[in-house]
C-alpha cells in the first residue's frame, strides 16, 4: 500500500490535493523510521499508540486500512477505494474542482 | 480492540463473495451452524423403529443428512474436472429433503420438546431455492406457538447473519412480541445489524457481473440473490438508523444493556455523519512532531483519509 500512495502523492504534488494518514497502534519510533526510510511521504495524525484512538473510534473504523475520499467542500464522496479505484476517485474530484473554478472565472 | 483483534477482523472480512457465502451457512456441502443436540452422534445409531422417540427420530434425520454431506464431499474429491464437480453439486439438494422430513416429524408430534430445536435446525440449514418455502413453514409454527420458549434463542443463534427472508420474519416477531425485554432488545440489535450488513452486501452484489451472479445463485439460491438485486440500499440504511434510534430509546437505562446502547449510538453517528454525501466530521489532533493538524484547514483541496496501522 505504501508504494501506491507514494506514487499518488508524488503525481499530484502540484494539485489541490492532500493525503492524510490517521495512525493508530504503532510506536512513534517505528513511524519515525517509516518517514526516514521514505516509505511514508505524507502527513498523518497520531491517533494513539497501542489502541484505537479517539479519531478512529469516532470514525467507527473497524478494519484497516479504511479509506475516505472527500471533495474540496469536505463532503465524503467515496469510501474504501483502493489502488486504481482510489486514483480514479481523486482524479474525478480534481476534475470536478477544476471545472468549477473555470465556471467561476468565466 | 487491540491490534491483534483488528488484524483478525481484516482477515475475516475477506472479499465480498466470501462475506456473503460465509454469512449464509455456506454452500450445500457445509453443515449448518447448529446441528442441534445431535452433533457428535455417530453412525452407529440403532435403526429407527416404530417405538423410537421423536428426539431419536430427529437425531436419525440429522445423521442421514451428515452421511449425505460426507458422500458429496467424497464425490467432490473424486471428481476430476470442474464440470464433474459442478455436476455433483447440481445433483445434491442440500439440506432441503432433510428439512422437509423434520417438518413432517414436527407435524406428527406438535407438542414434543424436540419441536423447538428441530425447527431451529431447519432455519439454520442451507440448500437450494425451495428450502425457503420449508423455512417459511417452520417460522409459521414457531411464531404461532413457541416465541417464548426458553430454548428458542439458543436454537436460532447466529440466525441474524442469515439472508433468509423467513429468518428475518421470525426475528422481527421475536423483537416485537417476546415477553422478555432483554430478548426484544438483543434480537432487535441483531436484526438492525443484519439490515446494515445486507445493505453493504446488496451494494456489492448490484455491481456483480453476470458470471458472478450465476455462481452466487448456485450458492444462495435464486430467491435470495434476486431480493438482494432489488434492495434499495438507501432505504435499508434509513431503516437501520430508525431501528438504532428505537433500540437506544428502549434500552437506555436498562440494566445489562449498556454495551448495546453505546454500540447503537456509535453506529448512528456513523450512519448520519460518515455516509457518502455527509460533510466529514472535524479531525483535530497532532502530527508526529506535535504540530496541530486540523482537517477543516484543508477545505478547497481534495482529501484522502487513510486510517492505517503498520503493525
Amino acid at each position: 500500500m505504501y508504494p501506491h500512495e507514494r506514487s499518488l502523492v508524488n503525481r499530484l504534488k502540484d494539485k489541490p490535493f492532500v493525503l492524510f494518514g490517521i495512525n493508530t497502534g504503532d510506536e512513534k519510533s517505528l513511524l519515525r523510521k517509516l518517514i526516514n526510510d521514505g516509505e511514508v511521504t505524507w502527513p498523518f495524525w497520531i491517533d494513539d499508540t497501542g489502541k484505537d484512538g479517539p479519531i478512529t473510534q469516532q470514525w467507527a473504523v473497524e478494519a484497516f486500512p479504511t479509506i475516505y475520499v472527500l471533495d474540496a467542500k469536505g463532503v465524503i464522496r467515496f469510501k474504501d477505494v483502493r489502488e486504481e479505484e482510489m486514483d480514479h476517485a481523486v482524479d474525478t474530484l480534481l476534475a470536478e474542482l477544476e471545472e468549477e473554478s473555470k465556471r467561476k472565472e468565466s | 480492540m487491540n491490534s491483534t483483534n483488528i488484524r483478525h477482523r481484516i482477515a475475516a472480512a475477506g472479499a465480498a463473495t466470501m462475506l456473503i457465502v460465509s454469512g449464509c451457512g455456506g454452500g450445500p456441502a457445509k453443515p449448518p451452524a447448529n446441528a442441534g443436540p445431535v452433533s457428535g452422534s455417530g453412525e452407529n445409531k440403532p435403526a429407527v423403529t416404530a417405538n423410537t422417540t421423536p428426539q431419536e427420530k430427529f437425531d436419525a434425520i440429522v445423521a442421514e443428512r451428515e452421511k449425505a454431506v460426507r458422500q458429496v464431499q467424497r464425490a467432490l474429491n473424486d471428481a476430476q474436472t470442474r464440470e464433474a464437480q459442478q455436476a455433483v453439486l447440481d445433483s445434491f439438494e442440500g439440506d432441503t429433503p432433510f428439512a422437509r422430513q423434520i417438518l413432517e416429524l414436527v407435524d406428527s408430534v406438535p407438542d414434543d420438546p424436540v419441536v423447538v430445536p428441530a425447527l431451529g435446525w431447519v432455519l439454520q440449514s442451507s440448500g437450494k431455492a425451495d428450502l425457503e418455502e420449508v423455512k417459511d413453514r417452520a417460522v409459521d409454527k414457531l411464531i404461532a406457538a413457541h416465541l417464548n420458549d426458553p430454548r428458542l434463542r439458543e436454537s436460532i443463534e447466529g440466525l441474524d447473519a442469515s439472508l433468509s427472508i423467513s429468518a428475518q420474519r421470525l426475528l422481527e416477531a421475536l423483537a416485537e412480541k417476546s415477553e422478555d425485554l432483554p430478548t426484544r432488545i438483543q434480537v432487535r440489535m441483531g436484526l438492525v445489524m443484519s439490515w446494515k450488513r445486507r445493505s453493504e452486501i446488496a451494494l456489492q452484489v448490484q455491481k456483480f457481473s453476470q458470471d458472478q451472479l450465476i455462481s452466487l445463485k448456485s450458492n444462495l439460491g435464486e430467491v435470495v440473490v434476486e431480493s438482494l438485486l432489488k434492495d434499495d440500499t438507501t432505504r435499508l440504511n434509513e431503516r437501520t438508523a430508525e431501528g438504532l434510534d428505537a433500540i437506544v430509546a428502549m434500552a437506555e437505562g436498562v440494566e445489562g444493556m449498556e454495551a448495546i446502547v453505546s454500540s447503537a449510538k456509535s453506529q448512528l453517528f456513523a450512519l448520519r455523519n460518515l455516509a457518502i454525501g455527509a460533510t466529514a466530521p472535524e479531525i483535530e489532533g497532532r502530527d508526529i512532531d506535535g504540530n496541530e493538524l486540523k482537517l477543516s484547514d484543508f477545505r478547497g483541496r481534495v482529501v484522502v483519509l487513510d486510517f492505517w496501522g503498520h503493525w
Side-chain angles (χ1 to χ4, degrees), chain A residues 36-106:
Chain A
N36 291 342
D37 291 351
E39 285 284 345
V40 173
T41 56
W42 51 91
F44 55 90
W45 280 274
I46 302 277
D47 197 18
D48 209 337
T49 47
K51 66 179 176 67
D52 288 1
I55 307 172
T56 305
Q57 280 181 28
Q58 191 189 27
W59 284 68
V61 173
E62 290 185 351
F64 294 85
T66 286
I67 307 288
Y68 284 88
V69 185
L70 318 183
D71 68 17
K73 295 187 187 74
V75 173
I76 297 169
R77 295 288 297 275
F78 299 89
K79 277 189 201 179
D80 287 326
V81 280
R82 305 275 165 82
E83 309 280 321
E84 293 85 23
E85 271 191 317
M86 188 197 291
D87 293 353
H88 181 71
V90 171
D91 288 338
T92 305
L93 295 180
L94 281 173
E96 208 176 280
L97 183 60
E98 208 164 304
E99 197 63 29
E100 205 163 311
S101 49
K102 261 190 214 155
R103 256 207 319 275
K104 273 183 198 156
E105 277 166 28
S106 60

Side-chain angles (χ1 to χ4, degrees), chain B:
Chain B
M1 158 165 100
N2 61 34
S3 52
T4 320
N5 255 336
I6 296 163
R7 264 172 291 186
H8 179 74
R9 276 201 239 176
I10 300 167
T17 321
M18 283 308 294
L19 185 80
I20 292 161
V21 170
S22 66
C24 298
K30 185 176 165 286
N34 175 10
V38 80
S39 42
S41 70
E43 287 154 283
N44 305 327
K45 294 189 65 65
V48 180
T49 61
N51 49 11
T52 46
T53 66
Q55 178 69 51
E56 284 167 343
K57 286 182 185 163
F58 171 51
D59 291 352
I61 297 170
V62 176
E64 276 300 308
R65 181 257 176 209
E66 283 173 7
K67 210 167 107 190
V69 168
R70 279 196 300 274
Q71 273 169 3
V72 168
Q73 276 162 349
R74 264 196 303 273
L76 276 179
N77 285 341
D78 293 345
Q80 299 295 322
T81 62
R82 232 185 123 77
E83 289 71 26
Q85 286 185 339
Q86 194 57 46
V88 172
L89 287 176
D90 286 344
S91 66
F92 182 56
E93 286 187 85
D95 294 334
T96 310
F98 306 100
R100 281 190 201 288
Q101 286 176 39
I102 286 172
L103 268 195
E104 279 169 30
L105 170 68
V106 167
D107 279 335
S108 67
V109 288
D111 301 317
D112 191 90
V114 81
V115 166
V116 168
L119 292 176
W121 190 96
V122 170
L123 290 177
Q124 304 273 8
S125 65
S126 55
K128 302 208 168 152
D130 54 352
L131 186 57
E132 194 61 29
E133 175 226 329
V134 183
K135 289 187 177 183
D136 224 33
R137 283 170 54 206
V139 167
D140 286 342
K141 291 178 197 296
L142 286 170
I143 291 179
H146 307 284
L147 270 192
N148 290 300
D149 189 304
R151 292 158 310 158
L152 179 58
R153 288 285 301 283
E154 193 191 335
S155 304
I156 58 169
E157 198 179 335
L159 204 61
D160 49 10
S162 161
L163 294 168
S164 152
I165 295 147
S166 42
Q168 284 271 316
R169 193 159 65 82
L170 175 65
L171 294 175
E172 277 168 22
L174 209 49
E176 286 289 323
K177 296 184 194 134
S178 171
E179 285 164 3
D180 180 48
L181 177 63
T183 295
R184 290 205 300 276
I185 294 168
Q186 287 158 355
V187 171
R188 189 175 297 270
M189 186 67 178
L191 205 51
V192 169
M193 288 297 96
S194 81
W195 299 338
K196 180 172 181 263
R197 191 164 160 276
R198 187 179 173 97
S199 149
E200 289 160 4
I201 292 172
L203 207 60
Q204 300 275 356
V205 169
Q206 288 169 9
K207 288 187 218 156
F208 269 19
S209 69
Q210 278 308 320
D211 282 352
Q212 286 172 309
L213 284 177
I214 289 166
S215 98
L216 195 62
K217 279 178 184 171
S218 75
N219 261 313
L220 295 186
E222 183 112 15
V223 181
V224 171
V225 176
E226 287 299 332
S227 74
L228 283 169
L229 288 173
K230 279 195 216 106
D231 271 340
D232 176 347
T233 52
T234 315
R235 179 72 200 111
L236 269 174
N237 288 338
E238 284 167 11
R239 252 181 101 194
T240 305
E242 289 161 14
L244 289 167
D245 267 331
I247 286 164
V248 173
M250 274 169 87
E252 190 111 69
V254 179
E255 207 188 321
M257 297 292 116
E258 296 80 7
I260 285 189
V261 172
S262 105
S263 157
K265 283 183 176 169
S266 72
Q267 303 273 2
L268 270 172
F269 179 86
L271 274 170
R272 300 214 162 112
N273 301 289
L274 301 173
I276 286 176
T279 300
E282 178 66 297
I283 300 179
E284 272 180 291
R286 291 178 188 277
D287 70 9
I288 193 162
D289 297 314
N291 300 317
E292 290 219 12
L293 201 55
K294 196 169 157 188
L295 177 60
S296 60
D297 288 344
F298 295 85
R299 293 284 189 266
R301 298 204 213 182
V302 173
V303 174
V304 168
L305 295 176
D306 174 1
F307 291 84
W308 114 98
H310 183 79
W311 339 294

